[in-house]
Amino acid sequence: MIHIGHGRDPARPTLVPREEMTVRLIHEGKVKRVFSDPESDERLIVEFTDAITAGDGAKREVLKGKGEVACETTEFLFSYLEGKGIATHLIRRLEGTKLLCKKVSIFPIECVCRNVAAGSFARRYGLETGRPLSRPLVEFFLKDDELHDPMITMDAIVRLGMATQEELEFMRRVTLDVNYYLSELFRQVGLRLVDFKLEFGRTENGEILVADEISGDTMRVWDENRSSLDKDLFREDEGDVVQAYKRLLERIREANPEQVPIREETLLVHVMPKSGIKNPPGEVARKALVRLGYDEIVDVRMGKVFEIKVNTPVSPRLLARVEEMNRRLLANPIAENTRVRLE
Ligand code: UDP
């Protein structure tokens, strides 16, 4: 087959036989390989291998069929999330173990969301496995096997330049959204989402997308008898992992995504006068407060906060629309700064 490729002069496309378009191995991880897409610099091919690891790679095996079921589960769940308005890097599944994805650079951070105490959380705080948490929580871990993926605070991530505060708030909120949509889907078919790990990547134009994988390898899921359908079977040598991953996928395929209601989200848009710009309402408040005896006050600036509720998850598209709202109506870009808070 002949494809249009680019010769030396980008203005004049030349014909390049497909066989000559090489697929380059870009990255080889513990269980996945990433290849260039010969047809586009903006896409990558992610291959799920049959390798399975635990304990930061200390325990490793090859289980026939694991790559395919992990790939299929990721395709299914990423497509489901996309259908709910959550942006992922998935374009489409190519064949058994390969996904065609948007090219992103992955943040060196794992976002873990928990509904129930288990794994490292239960060990760290001496809790009984299975203790439900009053609300879901998000934890961050540094992706570094040599350091054994230590937990990392939001401040440390920002100070070390791995992500900005805004990017982290975005990832945290999307992780909670993903938790809601997965938990509700699984609940329909009697499954309980205990915890899971998400990774995010940034595209060249700064969009942050859910990336990597969601499968039995990256979640804990219990059935009605509290049997695991996930990698705990491998961690604890407790049964046929590939069969369990297949059962997990079969069961979630039985759920009806349309029956999962869209959740309302709240965004706070803070609008503040730029420094150096006069702020008469703040000045009036300052004078009045000083008159009342609060003489420690040096300056008061008064801005506005808009609490905006939307019927779509937080996504790069929504953030772009909020920026547009700011420019068009909520703020005066010449005199005011805006900041979207997603806490
Ligand atoms: N997880 C993952 N990759 C990692 C670490 C954790 O996919 O490198 C997933 C894990 O499968 C579980 C959740 O994140 O669903 C929480 O893992 P935990 O911190 O409890 O660590 P573990 O005890 O699994 O090492």
Side-chain angles (χ1 to χ4, degrees), residues 106-125:
I106 300 278
F107 290 91
I109 296 159
E110 298 186 332
C111 303
V112 169
C113 187
R114 305 181 188 271
N115 299 300
V116 174
S120 72
F121 185 82
R123 286 194 299 276
R124 191 182 327 128
Y125 301 120

Side-chain angles (χ1 to χ4, degrees), residues 56 110 112 114 118-121 123-124 139 141 149 195-197 217-220 231-232 235:
D56 305 317
E110 298 186 332
V112 169
R114 305 181 188 271
S120 72
F121 185 82
R123 286 194 299 276
R124 191 182 327 128
E139 292 176 335
F141 293 85
D149 292 353
D195 56 33
F196 65 96
K197 181 260 308 181
D217 257 8
T218 63
M219 299 186 273
R220 284 193 174 90
K231 196 155 91 174
D232 270 352
R235 291 187 187 96

Side-chain angles (χ1 to χ4, degrees), residues 148-167:
H148 304 293
D149 292 353
M151 207 170 133
I152 186 165
T153 62
M154 288 180 89
D155 269 0
I157 293 170
V158 175
R159 297 297 174 271
L160 297 175
M162 295 168 184
T164 66
Q165 184 72 30
E166 288 77 12
E167 287 174 331

Side-chain angles (χ1 to χ4, degrees), residues 120-137:
S120 72
F121 185 82
R123 286 194 299 276
R124 191 182 327 128
Y125 301 120
L127 303 171
E128 192 191 336
T129 296
R131 175 172 154 176
L133 303 174
S134 55
R135 279 173 59 192
L137 66 85

Side-chain angles (χ1 to χ4, degrees), residues 89-107:
H89 75 156
L90 175 70
I91 299 172
R92 70 189 148 83
R93 184 149 167 237
L94 290 176
E95 54 191 85
T97 58
K98 292 195 179 113
L99 298 181
L100 183 64
C101 297
K102 290 182 194 158
K103 185 173 173 179
V104 288
S105 54
I106 300 278
F107 290 91

Side-chain angles (χ1 to χ4, degrees), residues 30 55-58 142-150:
K30 286 191 301 247
D56 305 317
L142 179 66
K143 264 171 65 125
D144 188 320
D145 280 341
E146 276 180 20
L147 297 177
H148 304 293
D149 292 353

